[in-house]
């Protein structure tokens, strides 16, 4: 009986893929160097549409969007018109929200997210519309009950008014459960080369300092359905790890990380290597497994012994540059003086030797030792280890 239950739990999850079509609109006031209104469309996490109040143009962000709009030359003009009206609505919404929260000036942000999800195996469909204000939930649509949910008292007025609009609720339910899903399937068909591809991640081990947690970082992967975790030998260590957020890259791929919250400073290297970072990407059969090898960890921290030769090299270069500047200064000053007397013919080498002795006395205290200074003005340096 236990075997049957395990098969029931794991088999469907391994092959089921939930696709999504989402739109994100953001209106803001008094935010420096940022458009007052921005709208983007995403299919399975890949941006395919963009509009902002600076350009005031709706534009495609994927080449395959041209196929979607074939035979409809006014498509982007209509989208631009929709977005310009939405921009005006957001300006009004910000002022309304400020009144509800008894606010006057300052920076304020109104956010709107809508879309649908479709499970390509079970056929299950889910739609949503959510509104936020200054980073907090304001009001959201519950499609199952066809009502609005107001988590804050300031949104109750809106909820009561919108709940009474049954025609609009019926329209939204039909849109999110049928129209939106039809568009999602169309986008998946035309953008199949991009949306249904599998790009494996590049996985690295990172550490800020010897006392910091080790981070397993995966980047450059697609799709965004990824599972990452640490394990010690064959046992997962869920209580000793911390997961980072899924973040988009500029090229349409994604990145994510998971930290190992284990104090490794007192462990030997062979104990470290019992830990592994495991990365599982949807569409890829084999797991990516990275052993926690100290020699493979990338870090900005450097052992002082490893950078000392670089520091000494820079100091040596500074000595000779200063010597050259001194010579040039002396020659220029000498040119303005009367001709030297016969008994001062070695003045240049004497002055240069004196200057070098003075400079080298400082570097000696920093780990550079003078071994000889000749009358020619050249010197030899020896590194003190």
């Amino acid at each position: 009986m236990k075997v049957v239950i395990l098969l029931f739990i794991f088999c469907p999850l391994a092959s089921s893929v939930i696709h999504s079509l989402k739109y994100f609109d953001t209106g803001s006031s008094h935010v420096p160097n940022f458009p007052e209104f921005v709208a983007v469309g995403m299919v399975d996490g890949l941006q395919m549409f963009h509009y902002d109040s600076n350009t005031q143009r709706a534009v495609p962000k994927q080449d395959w969007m041209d196929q979607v709009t074939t035979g409809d030359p006014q498509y982007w003009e209509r989208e631009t018109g929709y977005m310009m009206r939405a921009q005006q609505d957001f300006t009004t919404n910000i002022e309304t929200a400020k009144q509800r929260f008894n606010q006057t000036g300052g920076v304020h942000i109104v956010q709107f997210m809508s879309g649908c999800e479709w499970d390509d195996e079970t056929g299950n469909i889910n739609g949503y519309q959510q509104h936020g204000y200054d980073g907090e939930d304001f009001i959201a649509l519950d499609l199952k009950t066809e009502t609005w949910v107001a988590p804050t008292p300031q949104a109750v007025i809106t909820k009561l008014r919108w709940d009474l609009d049954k025609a609009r609720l019926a329209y939204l339910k039909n849109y999110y459960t049928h129209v939106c899903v039809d568009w999602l399937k169309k986008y998946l068909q035309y953008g199949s080369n991009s949306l249904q591809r599998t790009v494996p991640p590049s996985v690295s081990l990172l550490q800020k300092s010897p006392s910091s947690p080790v981070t397993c970082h995966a980047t450059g992967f697609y799709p965004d359905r990824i599972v990452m975790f640490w394990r010690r030998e064959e046992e997962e260590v869920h209580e000793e790890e911390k997961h980072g957020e899924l973040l988009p890259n500029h090229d349409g791929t994604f990145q994510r990380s998971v930290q190992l919250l284990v104090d490794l400073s007192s462990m030997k290297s062979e104990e470290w290597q019992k830990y592994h970072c495991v990365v599982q990407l949807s569409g890829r059969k084999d797991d990516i497994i990275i052993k926690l090898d100290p020699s493979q960890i990338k870090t900005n921290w450097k052992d002082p012994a490893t950078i000392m030769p670089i520091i000494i090299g820079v100091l040596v270069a500074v000595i000779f540059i200063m010597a050259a500047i001194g010579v040039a200064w002396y020659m220029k000053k000498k040119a303005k003086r009367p001709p030297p007397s016969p008994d001062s013919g070695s003045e240049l080498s004497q002055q240069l030797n004196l200057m070098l002795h003075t400079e080298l006395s400082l570097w000696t205290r920093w780990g550079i030792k003078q071994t000889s200074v000749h009358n020619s003005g050249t010197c030899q340096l020896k590194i003190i280890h």
Side-chain angles (χ1 to χ4, degrees):
M1 183 65 181
K2 293 183 179 179
V3 175
V4 175
I5 293 176
L6 289 174
L7 290 175
F8 175 77
I9 292 176
F10 290 108
C11 289
L13 292 178
S15 58
S16 178
V17 176
I18 298 178
H19 299 283
S20 65
L21 172 60
K22 299 179 181 179
Y23 293 94
F24 300 88
D25 298 354
T26 302
S28 60
S29 64
H30 305 291
V31 178
N33 303 318
F34 191 78
E36 291 184 353
F37 180 76
V38 177
V40 296
M42 313 281 287
V43 179
D44 283 0
L46 185 67
Q47 184 179 356
M48 50 77 176
F49 156 85
H50 177 88
Y51 171 92
D52 65 64
S53 56
N54 289 346
T55 63
Q56 295 192 346
R57 295 292 303 174
V59 295
K61 302 300 288 185
Q62 300 294 328
D63 292 339
W64 49 263
M65 283 294 291
D66 292 336
Q67 302 178 49
V68 178
T69 59
T70 299
D72 188 358
Q74 303 301 317
Y75 179 88
W76 292 110
E77 293 296 331
R78 288 199 308 275
E79 289 296 315
T80 297
Y82 297 152
M83 291 300 100
M84 293 181 73
R85 289 191 291 274
Q87 179 181 330
Q88 295 174 355
D89 292 340
F90 268 67
T91 301
T92 303
N93 291 340
I94 289 179
E95 294 303 317
T96 301
K98 287 165 62 176
Q99 293 176 11
R100 298 275 183 89
F101 286 88
N102 195 25
Q103 299 167 336
T104 54
V107 173
H108 298 286
I109 297 176
V110 171
Q111 294 169 291
F112 170 79
M113 189 274 285
S114 67
C116 54
E117 293 179 343
W118 167 62
D119 189 317
D120 65 359
E121 179 175 292
T122 65
N124 290 338
I125 294 171
N126 184 32
Y128 32 75
Q129 183 181 125
Q130 301 173 358
H131 300 254
Y133 179 66
D134 284 353
E136 301 291 338
D137 290 337
F138 185 76
I139 194 168
L141 174 63
D142 186 340
L143 274 183
K144 293 181 179 180
T145 62
E146 296 186 46
T147 59
W148 294 91
V149 179
T152 178
Q154 289 81 358
V156 172
I157 298 176
T158 303
K159 167 186 163 53
L160 295 176
R161 186 171 67 249
W162 287 3
D163 279 347
L164 294 175
D165 194 345
K166 300 301 181 181
R168 181 168 179 261
L169 285 168
Y171 166 80
L172 292 176
K173 183 171 184 178
N174 178 70
Y175 175 80
Y176 289 123
T177 57
H178 293 92
V179 178
C180 180
V181 175
D182 290 342
W183 275 105
L184 171 57
K185 293 178 180 179
K186 183 182 294 188
Y187 291 143
L188 291 172
Q189 177 184 355
Y190 286 109
S192 59
N193 291 337
S194 298
L195 297 170
Q196 299 184 30
R197 74 190 192 280
T198 300
V199 181
S202 172
V203 184
S204 303
L205 300 177
L206 310 176
Q207 189 178 32
K208 292 182 179 180
S209 68
S211 60
S212 301
V214 175
T215 298
C216 181
H217 181 253
T219 186
F221 58 86
Y222 188 90
D224 61 354
R225 295 178 289 276
I226 194 171
V227 176
M228 299 179 65
F229 58 89
W230 284 95
R231 73 183 184 197
R232 187 179 188 276
E233 295 181 332
E234 297 301 322
E235 183 179 355
E236 298 181 18
V237 290
H238 295 301
E239 296 181 356
E240 298 176 326
E241 63 184 11
K242 179 181 179 181
H243 290 268
E245 294 183 6
L246 179 72
L247 300 173
N249 292 325
H250 70 281
D251 59 357
T253 61
F254 298 89
Q255 59 175 294
R256 196 169 196 177
S257 62
V258 56
Q259 285 186 337
L260 178 63
L261 304 179
V262 175
D263 184 8
L264 302 169
S265 58
S266 60
M267 294 185 185
K268 297 181 180 180
S269 60
E270 54 266 25
E271 187 69 18
W272 282 42
Q273 296 183 27
K274 293 182 180 180
Y275 289 91
H276 301 81
C277 175
V278 181
V279 181
Q280 300 172 340
L281 180 67
S282 176
R284 182 185 174 95
K285 296 181 179 179
D286 300 328
D287 295 347
I288 300 175
I289 302 175
I290 305 296
K291 182 184 295 185
L292 182 55
D293 186 345
S295 64
Q296 300 301 314
I297 297 177
K298 298 179 181 179
T299 178
N300 291 330
W301 177 85
K302 296 292 184 182
D303 189 330
T306 65
I307 64 173
M308 185 56 68
I310 300 175
I311 296 176
I312 293 174
V314 172
L315 295 180
V316 171
V318 170
I319 292 175
F320 285 102
I321 291 173
M322 294 179 67
I325 293 174
V327 171
W329 172 82
Y330 177 80
M331 294 299 294
K332 182 178 180 180
K333 186 174 182 181
K334 181 180 178 183
K336 298 180 179 180
R337 295 178 179 176
S341 59
D343 60 348
S344 61
S346 61
E347 181 181 355
L348 173 60
S349 60
Q350 293 173 358
Q351 293 284 347
L352 182 56
N353 285 334
L354 177 61
M355 181 179 65
L356 289 174
H357 277 294
T358 303
E359 298 293 342
L360 290 175
S361 65
L362 175 62
W363 308 131
T364 299
R365 297 201 299 271
W366 289 1
I368 299 178
K369 182 178 180 182
Q370 173 191 353
T371 57
S372 63
V373 177
H374 306 286
N375 289 335
S376 62
T378 60
C379 68
Q380 297 177 350
L381 300 177
K382 179 180 178 181
I383 306 302
I384 296 179
H385 297 285

